[in-house]
Amino acid sequence: MQLQAVHHIAIICSDYEASKAFYTDLLGFTIIREVYREDRDSYKLDLALNGAYIIELFSFPDAPERPSYPEARGLRHLAFEVMNIKNAVDELRHYGIEVEEIRTDPYTSRRFTFFSDPDGLPLELYEI
């Protein structure tokens, strides 16, 4: 097996319109395609970042909640690279998004912080 890259990340949301706006309007993902699957009463939204396919955003009626705090088993968080973390944090806060204080990774000396999507999925900003 010779893995080449991560193909995409699938996210199931509770409020499709709120999550669609969050990932596109706020975070700047572009829509590749949007499909309503009538047989499942479900939307599937394919999103790209800088031209690269990254996220599949799904809606399902009555999807169960999942523990999402950072130390739960499973996917811990999704991290995005930014050139200037302070500017990114200021922009998120401008839109009313709560963001943790900026910290410095003791091993890489890079700055990072966490915030959440509309469903509480932990997201990280990591300054490159």
Side-chain angles (χ1 to χ4, degrees):
M1 181 181 339
Q2 296 179 336
L3 301 179
Q4 301 299 307
V6 173
H7 186 265
H8 70 270
I9 297 146
I11 298 172
I12 299 172
C13 62
S14 63
D15 181 333
Y16 178 73
E17 292 302 327
S19 291
K20 177 182 175 181
F22 178 83
Y23 284 97
T24 58
D25 299 340
L26 184 66
L27 296 186
F29 282 82
T30 56
I31 297 172
I32 298 171
R33 97 185 40 83
E34 181 176 32
V35 177
Y36 177 70
R37 302 171 312 167
E38 191 172 338
D39 60 321
R40 302 182 86 180
D41 190 22
S42 167
Y43 279 96
K44 179 181 181 285
L45 183 66
D46 295 333
L47 299 170
L49 184 61
N50 298 321
Y53 177 50
I54 301 287
I55 291 178
E56 286 181 343
L57 183 67
F58 292 95
S59 68
F60 291 107
D62 303 317
E65 290 189 28
R66 177 187 326 233
S68 177
Y69 42 92
E71 303 307 330
R73 288 186 192 147
L75 180 65
R76 183 172 182 182
H77 62 263
L78 176 58
F80 299 108
E81 294 179 350
V82 294
M83 297 300 289
N84 185 311
I85 197 162
K86 180 166 182 344
N87 289 349
V89 166
D90 289 346
E91 185 174 349
L92 288 171
R93 287 184 175 151
H94 172 78
Y95 288 103
I97 305 295
E98 289 185 34
V99 183
E100 293 181 7
E101 291 302 313
I102 296 171
R103 296 181 267 168
T104 301
D105 185 315
Y107 305 107
T108 65
S109 299
R110 301 287 185 159
R111 298 188 312 160
F112 67 98
T113 190
F114 289 92
F115 64 107
S116 297
D117 83 349
D119 286 302
L121 174 67
L123 303 173
E124 179 182 5
L125 297 177
Y126 195 87
E127 191 172 62
I128 56 171

